[in-house]
Every structure is written in structure tokens, then in C-alpha cells.
Amino acid sequence: MMVGTVISKTTLKLATILAIMPLAASFAYGAPIEPDAIANATFDSWQKSKSGKGDSKNGGEEAVLEIDQQSGEVEAAKPEAPKPDAAKVAVPGQPDAVVETPEQSTDVPDEAAAQVSANPEAEKELKAAEEKAAEEKKSEEGGDKKQAEADPFLIRVQVLLDRAYTSPGEIDGMFGDNTRKALAAYRAMKGLPAKGELDEKLWDSLAQDTASPIQSYELTAEDIKGPYFPDLAEDYAELAKLEQIGYRNVTEMLAERFHMDEGLLKALNPDADFEKAGTKITVVAPGGAPDAEVTRILVDKKKGELRAYVGDAKEPAFVAPASIGSEDTPSPSGKVEVVAVVKDPTYTYNPEINFQQGENKEKMELPAGPNGPVGNVWIDLSKPTYGIHGTPWPNLVNKSGSHGCVRLTNWDVGRLAELVKAKKTKVEFVD
């Protein structure tokens, strides 16, 4: 059986649809970003730009930028509004064994799109919600302007967090919830005081990684070749005709390769010809997977976070934001184990046990690919129908609930796949 999905037969509430649907495009960056601004960004310069109180090291009044845990506000700047945020597989280490991936995965990342497209009123309300969110980014509240553009210092911070194995999710230069959680995880891993602020002590620890946060990359002929699918259909019958559900274009592919928001990639390279081999561009320099064999994973449903541990270690070796269940389709409780790691999983649509999308009344198999419903990695769990997997919408991770499974960015689940072992790695869901 293929990786598939299950959905309640009751109609999804519009609120759920709006929470799951992605914005039509990634965050709109107002102006080009100079690579040197990222490479040379420091905590002192960030404080000066945000507080307007001068350099504390040179006699100015010290300004610590505290983060309100409820609102996510920084003293002199508020965060952005949330972004509308093979059938049988060999079992690693067991050459003669295979595992069938579940047909009834409870995670349904894309069914909301189908229901919106079939409901003119829902589509109208979604458009209104998107327009309202865009306006809120430009509005002023209490005289403090919301963060409307990516901050070079925050880009550097996110890169350093990613390299320290405390993933901030999509690197976008915005002080969002995933970045705040990554900072908290980093504090715990390094034994720093658990304060809700980005202070100089934390920065000094991060800045011990002196490698450049940016790097140069030259587009190859293979990068340009693709294949790409600029007009990916929503209709599953159309997707089922494809050889793969691949990237829409080269910039989407590169952004995911370097753990970046696609808009940030373009803002760093406003004049780049992304359709020409040999083009040199600037990208961030993110991290890989730690050199570790993870024996246990904690899935924190309340925090929306996955933490991977080695042995009895108190602090995790890897942390990533995650979309974990919802009230209607919660993730399981208790302990399970990793059964297998499936790379490039296919996806089975079955309207008899799943939702019906449009006029599609027949069971069909959707091909593999990073823009498929479960991304490009499925980590199969011993509890039937549940897994840890990727997503075609990295900007929505921890911004909306899943339908029971654990959804990470494609790059984070790819890193996790290198750390786990079938029949050895235990997974515990905690509330």
C-alpha cells in the first residue's frame, strides 16, 4: 500500500481551511538585501537599529530587547503576522525485510485547498483574509511599526541556529514563533538561563560559530534542467498523470536546498538570471545533520516541536518546529517506534476512506516528489497510519495543525532521516 490520507467525513470548518491554506506567495521583501549586511550583522548594531539608544558599550544606555511570550513583541519592533503559515520499502539494516507504508495516514495537508476551490464563498473569505493579513503587515499599532522587512541580523541568527541543530524552520529574517522556539531550545542545549529574550550572552554563544552565514553558489546545467512544473494543478487526477510532483521552478528548489524563504533568495539576488547555468548567486550557509544516532524522539504537541535525543542525554541533539495534529484529528499519545524510512514516498488517494476531491471518485496513486502531499520523506511509525514526514509548504510548519502526523520542513525531516534507525528509535508523544 502507498502512503495515503484519512479525513473525517464531516465538512472542515472554514477556520481550519484558512489556517491550513498557504498564502499565494512567500513573504514580500520590500527591497534587495545586501549580503554584506548579513555577514557583518552584530548584536550591538541590531540593538542600535531597534532601540535608538546608542551603543551600550560606548556609554549609551543599555537596551535589552525582551520578547513577550504571548504576543511575540520585541521592545522596539513587533514580529510579522503569522504566515497563512513505494508500496513496499526495505527496512534499514534488515536486507530481507520490507514494510508496507500505511494507506491511511491521518495527515491531510492539501485537502483544504480542494474544499476551498470547490466553495466560492470559502474562496472569497480566504481572499479577504489574505488581503487583511497583507494590510496588517503595513499597519502601525501603538506607534510601533510591525516588522515589515527581513532583518539581516535575524537572518544571521537563524543561520547560526540552523547550524547548531536547533532549526528555526524557514530562514526568512523574521522574528517569528519558530525562531523564538529555536532560541529557547538553543539556550537549553547550551545551559544558558531560560530567559525570553535575545540578549548579548546568547549572541556571544551563537557567534562562536565564526563561519560566514552566507556563501556563493554557481548555478549548474543540472539545476536549470529540472524538470520543473510551474503550473502544478490542485486536481489530484491531473497530478496523478505526472512522472513526479516536482518543484515549480529553480528558485523554489534552491530555496529549499538552502533552507530559505524563496522571497529572501530573490531579495539577495535581485539581478540574477536564474535560468542561466554559470550564474553566481548568494545564498545562506545552513547546517546539515549532527553526527549522532538518535535513540528517542519527543514530539511535544503543546509546543509544536520535535526533539531528538541520543541515549539518556538530557538535552537533544536536534530540534525542529513541527505541525502536530489538531483538535479534530489529534496526534496519538504514548510511545511508538520507527519502522522504516521511506524516501520519495508516493501518495494514495482513496475517496472511499478519504475525502472526495472535486469529481475524483476513483482511487489513484500520486507520484513522489517534494511538492507531494507528504513531501520527500516519510518516517513510518509502528502505530498504523502515523508517520513523520515533509511538506510542500515549509512556511506553514507550526503555523497550522496537521491531521495527526508530524509534519516538518522537507530539509528538517531529511536531516532527521539520517539520525533514526528502524526498530531502534523510539518516539514518544507528549502533551
Side-chain angles (χ1 to χ4, degrees):
M1 293 185 290
M2 313 300 178
V3 174
T5 59
V6 165
I7 184 173
S8 168
K9 294 182 182 298
T10 58
T11 304
L12 285 175
K13 298 176 182 178
L14 178 61
T16 302
I17 294 175
L18 294 177
I20 294 176
M21 278 293 292
L23 286 174
S26 57
F27 178 75
Y29 290 80
I33 297 174
E34 292 295 331
D36 285 349
I38 301 173
N40 299 327
T42 66
F43 180 75
D44 283 344
S45 64
W46 187 62
Q47 280 199 312
K48 288 176 64 177
S49 67
K50 296 301 181 183
S51 70
K53 295 182 179 181
D55 187 345
S56 63
K57 287 188 176 182
N58 293 319
E61 182 180 355
E62 184 172 356
V64 176
L65 303 180
E66 295 191 356
I67 302 168
D68 186 300
Q69 295 301 309
Q70 296 297 320
S71 68
E73 293 183 359
V74 185
E75 185 179 67
K78 298 178 182 179
E80 81 281 14
K83 296 181 184 179
D85 246 45
K88 293 184 178 181
V89 182
V91 177
Q94 302 180 49
D96 298 326
V98 295
V99 61
E100 291 188 346
T101 56
E103 183 173 7
Q104 296 173 304
S105 163
T106 57
D107 192 64
V108 194
D110 288 339
E111 85 287 355
Q115 295 200 21
V116 168
S117 63
N119 186 337
E121 289 303 314
E123 190 167 13
K124 185 184 300 183
E125 291 193 37
L126 173 63
K127 184 176 180 180
E130 290 179 348
E131 291 176 350
K132 181 180 179 181
E135 286 300 317
E136 286 179 348
K137 285 183 179 179
K138 300 178 181 179
S139 69
E140 292 187 6
E141 295 182 1
D144 289 331
K145 191 173 183 180
K146 287 189 175 184
Q147 184 182 346
E149 295 184 1
D151 188 305
F153 174 74
L154 294 178
I155 294 171
R156 185 176 182 186
V157 167
Q158 289 173 329
V159 171
L160 295 177
L161 288 169
D162 191 89
R163 295 205 298 230
Y165 314 124
T166 52
S167 172
E170 191 176 56
I171 295 172
D172 59 6
M174 308 298 291
F175 215 144
D177 186 54
N178 287 343
T179 296
R180 294 194 295 274
K181 289 196 304 183
L183 287 167
Y186 180 87
R187 282 184 178 278
M189 289 173 67
K190 299 298 182 180
L192 297 172
K195 298 179 181 178
E197 59 187 30
L198 174 50
D199 58 18
E200 192 166 10
K201 190 170 184 178
L202 188 151
W203 167 247
D204 287 344
S205 179
L206 279 172
Q208 290 181 39
D209 178 349
T210 58
S212 175
I214 58 172
Q215 59 184 321
S216 177
Y217 179 78
E218 184 173 318
L219 293 177
T220 68
E222 194 69 20
D223 292 332
I224 305 303
K225 180 180 178 182
Y228 296 112
F229 305 84
D231 301 313
L232 282 179
E234 292 182 0
D235 186 81
Y236 279 8
E238 294 300 316
L239 291 177
K241 297 176 183 178
L242 301 175
E243 293 183 3
Q244 60 176 296
I245 307 179
Y247 292 110
R248 292 173 177 81
N249 49 53
V250 66
T251 54
E252 184 183 52
M253 179 275 292
L254 290 169
E256 187 158 297
R257 179 185 295 178
F258 296 105
H259 308 183
M260 302 170 65
D261 180 276
E262 189 176 354
L264 175 59
L265 173 68
K266 294 177 180 179
L268 276 171
N269 303 279
D271 300 318
D273 184 350
F274 286 102
E275 298 182 358
K276 181 180 179 181
T279 297
K280 292 183 178 180
I281 61 173
T282 298
V283 295
V284 301
D291 183 13
E293 182 175 322
V294 167
T295 55
R296 59 191 176 97
I297 292 172
L298 289 183
V299 178
D300 192 322
K301 293 190 281 186
K302 184 176 181 180
K303 291 184 68 174
E305 186 175 81
L306 179 147
R307 300 189 290 274
Y309 296 81
V310 177
D312 296 326
K314 292 184 179 180
E315 299 303 334
F318 178 70
V319 180
S323 294
I324 309 167
S326 66
E327 291 185 3
D328 294 332
T329 53
S331 294
S333 296
K335 298 179 180 180
V336 295
E337 69 177 3
V338 171
V339 175
V341 176
V342 184
K343 295 186 177 181
D344 296 321
T346 56
Y347 176 93
T348 295
Y349 165 77
N350 188 344
E352 293 184 3
I353 59 174
N354 303 150
F355 66 98
Q356 180 176 326
Q357 189 210 40
E359 299 299 319
N360 294 317
K361 299 180 180 180
E362 302 295 327
K363 180 178 178 179
M364 67 183 75
E365 178 185 340
L366 274 64
N371 274 322
V374 291
N376 53 16
V377 174
W378 171 274
I379 298 177
D380 193 34
L381 302 180
S382 56
K383 185 175 179 62
T385 80
Y386 290 94
I388 303 170
H389 64 81
T391 175
W393 302 110
N395 61 314
L396 291 187
V397 169
N398 192 39
K399 307 293 184 182
S400 64
S402 74
H403 283 66
C405 291
V406 180
R407 190 188 315 162
L408 311 180
T409 64
N410 278 341
W411 56 85
D412 281 341
V413 76
R415 292 197 278 186
L416 184 64
E418 296 182 34
L419 308 178
V420 302
K421 297 293 181 183
K423 303 298 184 180
K424 292 185 179 180
T425 303
K426 310 300 179 182
V427 181
E428 181 177 4
F429 289 81
V430 295
D431 295 308

